Amino acid sequence: MFKKLVAFIVTPEFRKNLLIAIVMVFFLILIAIFSLRIFTKHGESLTLPDLSGLTIEQAKELVASGSIEFKVDTVYIQGKQAGTIVQQDPDPKTEVKEGRTVYLLIQSLVPPQVKLPDLEGKTLAEARAIIEGYGLKVGEMTYKSDIAKDVVLGITYKGMSISAGAGLAKGATVGLVLGNGFGAAAISIPDLTGLTLQEAIFTIRGNSLLLGKVTFEGPITDSASAKVFKQEPPAVLGDTTTIQQGSMINIYLRQE
């Protein structure tokens, strides 16, 4: 049996078949190697550029030679230009194979909507923190007569009053209507003529007014005995002129 096997191996037919098999295996290995190189694009890579600030069309033109594929999602970041790339993955200057998928975040064309929070009765500091926390901005601040100083009385948007719950675009600017701390009541101007400084102060404060400039005229030996002879604004007998609570009154005193 062994002799027959040896005799077959040395025959020309066996050597021919063996040579054919070796050649076929060699070519199969070459085909596999080249197929793998093509499939993996071996040795073919590019450095990914910085795409931030570009539009999708501009990004495609920039990397057109690399057959890069883009997968896009949207985000809203205040201050960024709508429709431009704000973030990419992989990062810029990364070596990537041609045909690689690059993930992009694009600034949304339409800002998301937020509901205006209830700010009435909040202090200015509290309202500012809440507004900015909602992605809004504080714009013009106007004051109106109210006993509470720097407390929110209302909200405006583009010159119109709006209420809590109103929908606004993120990044919008709202105005605040605040109390001036003086109150809303209008009162008659008190007559301070003939009062000492302390009596005048007592009367001014009793009428929810503020003491303004105090001026002494003439020789003064005892300021406590000096009396008011003039005031601004003046109190005219029978006059119906009024002033707002919190207003100032200047007084002039001299010693009789």
Side-chain angles (χ1 to χ4, degrees), residues 64-252:
S65 60
S67 302
I68 295 294
E69 296 182 7
F70 293 121
K71 193 166 185 179
V72 178
D73 201 355
T74 58
V75 69
Y76 181 79
I77 301 175
Q78 193 166 313
K80 298 292 184 179
Q81 184 178 349
T84 59
I85 299 168
V86 296
Q87 189 175 335
Q88 67 186 73
D89 182 27
D91 294 328
K93 299 182 180 180
T94 301
E95 290 286 334
V96 297
K97 297 285 183 66
E98 292 190 5
R100 169 74 181 270
T101 298
V102 175
Y103 298 88
L104 302 175
L105 280 179
I106 307 296
Q107 176 79 345
S108 174
L109 295 175
V110 180
Q113 292 280 309
V114 296
K115 287 187 176 181
L116 180 70
D118 186 4
L119 300 172
E120 190 170 344
K122 304 290 186 184
T123 65
L124 174 58
E126 291 172 334
R128 189 188 296 275
I130 294 172
I131 288 171
E132 292 176 353
Y134 274 72
L136 302 172
K137 299 177 183 177
V138 178
E140 182 182 11
M141 290 181 284
T142 57
Y143 287 84
K144 63 183 294 185
S145 295
D146 191 88
I147 195 66
K149 181 174 176 59
D150 285 334
V151 170
V152 177
L153 304 178
I155 308 293
T156 61
Y157 178 65
K158 293 184 177 180
M160 300 182 66
S161 179
I162 56 174
S163 303
L168 296 172
K170 197 170 184 179
T173 300
V174 297
L176 298 178
V177 180
L178 305 167
N180 61 9
F182 294 150
I187 60 171
S188 298
I189 301 174
D191 186 4
L192 306 176
T193 305
L195 301 181
T196 64
L197 176 58
Q198 292 303 316
E199 290 171 338
I201 293 174
F202 180 81
T203 302
I204 288 171
R205 291 177 177 174
N207 284 275
S208 299
L209 299 171
L210 300 175
L211 177 64
K213 184 178 179 181
V214 178
T215 304
F216 290 92
E217 292 190 359
I220 302 294
T221 58
D222 182 12
S223 60
S225 64
K227 295 184 179 180
V228 177
F229 70 92
K230 186 172 71 172
Q231 67 184 68
E232 295 174 346
V236 180
L237 186 62
D239 193 351
T240 58
T241 302
T242 60
I243 56 175
Q244 295 288 329
Q245 287 184 338
S247 298
M248 287 189 176
I249 294 185
N250 301 322
I251 58 175
Y252 298 80

